[in-house]
């Protein structure tokens, strides 16, 4: 029987299903190639078999419907035609969906408006490209389909699966380098950098929050120096932490959007300490600072405490568009209970990892980065009982739930504080507390309807960028003091380096908070989910700009007098146009200085 003759209905159906599986697997491998070539090398390659299996299965399902329609409409036909039709259906549909996801994310950074001339043109191009590519691949597959037999199809699918599994096994991660047996050559104090994700300043008792909410952090503040007015340079994790680790603004280091990684040209805090002879280690649990985004750059050892992702995914596989869709569907439709370990590892797990690392007596001096996630959504009831509220499954809770959501947030803050207290106790027991430089800061805050929205990353209001900053130098001479000047999170890197007795690198744009006097306005920037924002503060006056038509609905220019209106409720841009114009000019000058700094650092890198 040849490929042009009439085959049995069953034979055509099976061929169509195999074609769909092969077409889906090809799309999966194509997305894998895109991810691999645009990311830092992952620690494992489970994304390869994951993509082949997941997309192959989805392609099979899509082709099943097409095969049934074809059999009813055409009836007589060949298995070869059924196979190529299955390939075409899977490739066309999946390529359109996956292609659209990556084009919107990578090219337009979620700023493309679908119902616009540009948006309609882009989508028309994606559809046309998907159809043309599917047709070409289907024609090729029909030529390769030998004599109407399905052996070639089975062999192709088996080869794709076996090859991907083999690659995953061959590249399985090895255990991270252990500190035991290593040596440091520096002579300065140990430096411990603790990042607390999504922690608003006013969630701490020492910043005016609920009394007794954070006794461990309050006690630490009495041992160190508290900066009353500290601000992040971005309101979501990746650009903010990248700025803290590099001492430069987000637009300078470049890790700004969801697909961006920390570039090799960036000079990281870990690289600075390593070059000075420190042993460098990181213990983190936020995927935004995972090795796939190159945040391990400069660390002698970097332990990413991976959550238990849904659908058997791993860190690398979560970058696939199909995983994003599956997770969204699960959380929107089928997640009645939720647990922290599906999103991150909590303070207890992080604390255990840090404790074990410290008990191994790492070489001293060391630079240690610790990143806790607990204040980040989902907000869980403590003790854990499976109840939580997440941005993913409840993107816009009604205003009537504000008190409930905020209470869950504070429960998680209190839980984190308890485990920080245990860390401080262990550091004292190991005789590491007094003689170490310890800096504690949050990467950003969180919204609770202060300006009509929830969560973080889409505004630059005070609730999103004002953060706690506590620093204790070795044998702190000014313990218990409070500093009222403006501090920036890009200043933390320079401050820690100086506190260790080292020269601050010229490439850092931040200042030593205990040394030089502030010399430029407070600046922040954001480019997330279609919201392109910048803010500048001079004295008590703060100006925020937003791109027209932004999804959040923010005004193009807002101006606030934080002295009289600390909650930023009265926009003074229209009533005081001269002042607004002056601040816009200052913002332009600031952007020019930052652009000049970016160009310089790119040449240096």
């Amino acid at each position: 029987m040849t490929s042009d003759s009439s085959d049995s209905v069953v034979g055509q159906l099976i061929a169509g299903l195999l074609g769909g599986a092969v077409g889906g697997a090809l799309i999966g491998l194509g997305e894998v190639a895109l991810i691999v070539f645009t990311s830092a090398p992952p620690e494992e390659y489970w994304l390869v078999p994951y993509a082949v299996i997941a997309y192959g299965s989805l392609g099979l399902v899509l082709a099943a419907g097409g095969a049934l329609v074809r059999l009813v409409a055409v009836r007589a036909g060949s298995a070869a035609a059924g196979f190529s039709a299955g390939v075409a259906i899977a490739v066309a549909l999946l390529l359109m969906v996956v292609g659209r996801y990556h084009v919107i994310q990578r090219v337009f950074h979620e700023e493309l408006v679908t119902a616009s001339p540009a948006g309609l043109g882009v989508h028309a191009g994606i559809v046309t490209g998907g159809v043309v590519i599917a047709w070409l691949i289907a024609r090729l597959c029909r030529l390769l389909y030998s004599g109407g037999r399905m052996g070639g199809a089975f062999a192709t699918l088996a080869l794709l699966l076996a090859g991907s599994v083999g690659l995953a096994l061959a590249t399985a991660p090895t255990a991270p380098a252990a500190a035991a047996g290593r040596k440091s050559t520096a002579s300065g104090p140990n430096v411990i950098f603790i990042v607390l994700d999504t922690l608003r300043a006013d969630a701490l008792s020492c910043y005016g929050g609920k009394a007794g909410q954070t006794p461990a952090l309050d006690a630490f503040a009495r041992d160190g120096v508290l900066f009353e007015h500290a601000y992040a340079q971005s309101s979501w994790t990746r650009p903010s932490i990248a700025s803290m680790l590099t001492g430069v603004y987000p637009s300078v280091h470049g890790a700004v959007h969801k697909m961006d990684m920390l570039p090799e040209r960036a000079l990281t805090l870990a690289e600075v300490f390593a070059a000075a002879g420190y042993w460098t280690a990181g213990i983190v649990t936020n995927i935004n600072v995972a090795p796939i985004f190159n945040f391990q750059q400069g660390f002698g050892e970097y332990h990413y405490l991976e959550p238990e992702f849904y659908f058997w995914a791993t860190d690398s596989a979560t970058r696939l568009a199909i995983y994003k869709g599956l997770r969204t569907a699960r959380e929107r439709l089928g997640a009645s209970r939720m647990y922290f370990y599906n999103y991150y590892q909590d303070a207890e797990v992080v604390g255990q990892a840090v404790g074990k690392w410290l008990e191994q007596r790492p070489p001293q001096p060391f630079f240690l980065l610790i990143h806790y996630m607990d204040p980040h959504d989902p907000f869980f009831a403590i003790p854990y009982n499976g109840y939580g509220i997440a941005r993913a499954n409840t993107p816009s809770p009604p205003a009537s739930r504000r008190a409930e959501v905020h209470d869950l947030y504070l429960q998680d803050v209190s839980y984190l504080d308890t485990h920080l207290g245990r860390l401080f106790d262990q550091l004292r027991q190991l005789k590491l507390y007094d003689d170490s430089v310890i800096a504690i800061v949050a990467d950003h805050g969180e919204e609770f309807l202060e300006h009509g929205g929830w969560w973080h990353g889409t505004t630059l209001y005070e609730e999103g960028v004002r953060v706690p900053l506590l620093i204790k130098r070795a044998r702190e001479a000014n313990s218990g003091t409070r500093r009222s000047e403006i501090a920036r999170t890009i200043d933390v890197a320079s401050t820690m380096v100086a506190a260790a007795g080292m020269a601050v690198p010229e490439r850092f744009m931040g200042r030593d908070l205990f040394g030089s006097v502030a010399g430029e306005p407070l600046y922040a920037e954001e480019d997330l989910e279609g919201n392109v924002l910048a803010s500048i503060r001079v004295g008590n006056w703060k100006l925020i700009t937003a791109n027209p038509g932004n999804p959040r609905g923010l005004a193009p220019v807002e101006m606030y007098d934080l002295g009289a209106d600390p909650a930023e409720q009265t926009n003074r841009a229209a009533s005081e146009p001269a002042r607004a114009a002056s601040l816009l000019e200052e913002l332009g000058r600031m952007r020019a200085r930052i652009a000049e700094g970016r160009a310089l650092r790119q040449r240096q890198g």
Side-chain angles (χ1 to χ4, degrees):
M1 183 180 293
T2 67
S3 61
D4 294 322
S5 63
S6 177
D7 289 329
S8 70
V9 171
V10 173
Q12 293 179 61
L13 181 60
I14 293 175
L17 296 179
L18 284 172
V22 170
L26 289 173
I27 294 300
L29 289 177
E31 188 179 19
V32 165
L34 176 64
I35 290 170
V36 168
F37 285 112
T38 58
S39 304
E43 292 189 325
E44 40 75 28
Y45 280 92
W46 178 242
L47 85 162
V48 186
Y50 192 92
V52 170
I53 295 170
Y55 280 108
S57 300
L58 184 54
L60 186 150
V61 172
L62 294 172
L68 291 174
V69 172
R70 183 178 180 279
L71 288 174
V72 172
V74 181
R75 297 187 181 180
S78 68
F83 178 75
S84 62
V87 171
I89 290 169
V91 170
L93 295 178
L94 291 176
L95 185 58
M96 290 177 196
V97 174
V98 175
R100 179 187 184 279
Y101 171 76
H102 284 281
V103 167
I104 296 299
Q105 290 284 344
R106 296 174 181 273
V107 179
F108 294 98
H109 307 304
E110 302 177 280
E111 296 169 27
L112 183 69
V113 179
T114 301
S116 67
L120 294 175
V122 168
H123 283 81
I126 291 172
V127 171
T128 302
V131 171
V132 171
I133 293 172
W135 182 82
L136 292 172
I137 293 176
R139 293 292 298 173
L140 178 61
C141 287
R142 182 162 183 169
L143 292 174
L144 295 175
Y145 193 96
S146 176
R149 298 174 184 176
M150 288 177 284
F154 276 114
T156 301
L157 189 58
L159 184 61
L160 287 173
L161 183 57
S164 61
V165 172
L167 178 59
L169 294 175
T171 56
T174 56
R182 305 272 179 162
K183 292 183 178 180
S184 294
T185 58
S187 58
N190 296 317
V191 179
I192 302 173
F193 186 23
I194 301 174
V195 178
L196 310 177
D197 210 294
T198 322
L199 184 61
R200 290 170 56 131
D202 62 9
L204 277 64
S205 305
C206 53
Y207 277 89
K210 179 181 175 183
Q213 176 71 37
T214 51
L217 285 168
D218 297 344
F220 180 85
R222 291 191 292 273
D223 290 338
V225 177
L226 183 150
F227 291 85
E228 296 178 331
H229 303 287
Y231 290 88
Q233 273 56 75
S234 181
S235 64
W236 77 286
T237 296
R238 196 177 310 151
S240 182
I241 293 185
S243 286
M244 288 192 277
L245 292 178
T246 61
V248 300
Y249 290 101
S251 56
V252 176
H253 58 64
V256 174
H257 308 105
K258 290 182 180 179
M259 295 290 185
D260 293 339
M261 65 177 183
L262 187 64
E264 286 292 336
R265 69 173 184 273
L267 176 65
T268 69
L269 198 52
E271 289 174 314
V272 172
F273 277 110
Y278 274 69
W279 179 249
T280 57
I283 299 174
V284 304
T285 186
N286 188 320
I287 192 171
N288 280 296
V289 296
I292 57 172
F293 295 114
N294 203 37
F295 276 74
Q296 83 289 353
Q297 184 176 323
F299 286 93
E301 53 178 317
Y302 197 78
H303 304 269
Y304 170 50
L305 306 181
E306 187 176 284
E308 297 178 18
F309 295 111
Y310 295 125
F311 305 110
W312 307 284
T314 57
D315 180 40
S316 62
T318 61
R319 303 203 70 192
L320 295 167
I322 193 170
Y323 177 79
K324 307 288 188 184
L326 288 171
R327 174 179 167 175
T328 299
R330 182 195 183 280
E331 292 180 325
R332 296 287 175 88
L333 303 175
S336 59
R337 300 176 73 80
M338 57 180 59
Y339 299 93
F340 71 86
Y341 48 76
N342 292 131
Y343 299 86
Y344 55 80
Q345 297 300 339
D346 74 349
E348 181 176 5
V349 178
V350 173
Q352 289 172 348
V354 173
K356 183 178 180 180
W357 187 86
L358 292 170
E359 289 168 358
Q360 292 176 346
R361 297 290 178 176
Q364 297 187 45
F366 58 75
F367 167 68
L368 173 64
L369 168 67
I370 312 171
H371 186 182
Y372 291 91
M373 273 288 287
D374 303 78
H376 196 286
D377 81 285
F379 304 138
F380 295 105
I382 302 295
Y384 297 121
N385 59 11
Y387 183 72
I389 297 176
R391 184 177 193 169
N393 67 3
T394 314
S396 185
S400 59
R401 299 187 67 184
R402 183 186 183 280
E404 175 198 4
V405 177
H406 190 247
D407 179 67
L408 289 174
Y409 172 78
L410 291 181
Q411 287 184 46
D412 295 342
V413 171
S414 180
Y415 179 81
L416 168 63
D417 184 79
T418 297
H419 288 279
L420 286 171
R422 295 176 184 175
L423 171 64
F424 301 149
D425 288 342
Q426 183 181 25
L427 291 172
R428 291 186 181 93
Q429 292 168 4
L430 295 173
K431 309 299 184 185
L432 295 173
Y433 184 83
D434 292 335
D435 293 323
S436 295
V437 176
I438 304 176
I440 302 176
V441 68
D443 55 347
H444 54 76
E446 188 79 320
E447 294 184 68
F448 293 99
L449 287 181
E450 289 87 353
H451 290 88
W454 295 90
W455 321 115
H456 57 266
T458 60
T459 73
L460 292 175
Y461 297 120
E462 294 290 285
E463 61 268 18
V465 294
R466 186 176 174 225
V467 296
L469 174 59
L470 311 168
I471 300 177
K472 184 193 75 64
R473 293 167 292 180
R475 299 288 172 180
E476 178 59 64
N478 298 308
S479 59
T481 59
R482 302 171 71 96
R483 301 278 291 269
S484 61
E485 72 269 26
I486 295 291
R488 305 167 301 174
T489 53
I490 61 167
D491 297 328
V492 178
S494 297
T495 303
M496 285 190 288
V497 168
M502 298 157 47
V504 176
E506 292 184 0
R507 291 176 63 180
F508 284 5
M509 301 177 80
R511 66 187 181 92
D512 173 13
L513 291 170
F514 296 106
S516 59
V517 178
E520 63 183 19
L522 175 63
Y523 175 82
E525 56 189 0
E526 192 73 272
D527 188 348
L528 183 68
E529 298 176 358
N531 301 283
V532 184
L533 317 172
S535 72
I536 193 165
R537 177 175 173 177
V538 178
N540 283 331
W541 288 93
K542 177 179 177 181
L543 181 130
I544 308 173
T545 63
N547 55 314
N550 61 84
R552 183 61 189 265
L554 304 172
V557 179
E558 299 179 26
M559 185 177 70
Y560 300 99
D561 178 2
L562 296 181
D565 179 24
E568 298 166 296
Q569 296 299 307
T570 303
N571 182 3
R572 305 276 289 274
S575 62
E576 299 196 41
R579 189 185 297 274
S582 175
L583 286 173
L584 282 170
E585 291 178 1
E586 186 63 46
L587 178 62
R589 288 191 289 270
M590 189 70 190
R591 282 174 162 165
R593 288 198 295 272
I594 291 172
E596 182 180 347
R598 177 171 62 249
L600 174 63
R601 283 154 182 80
Q602 287 175 345
R603 291 194 298 270
Q604 292 173 333

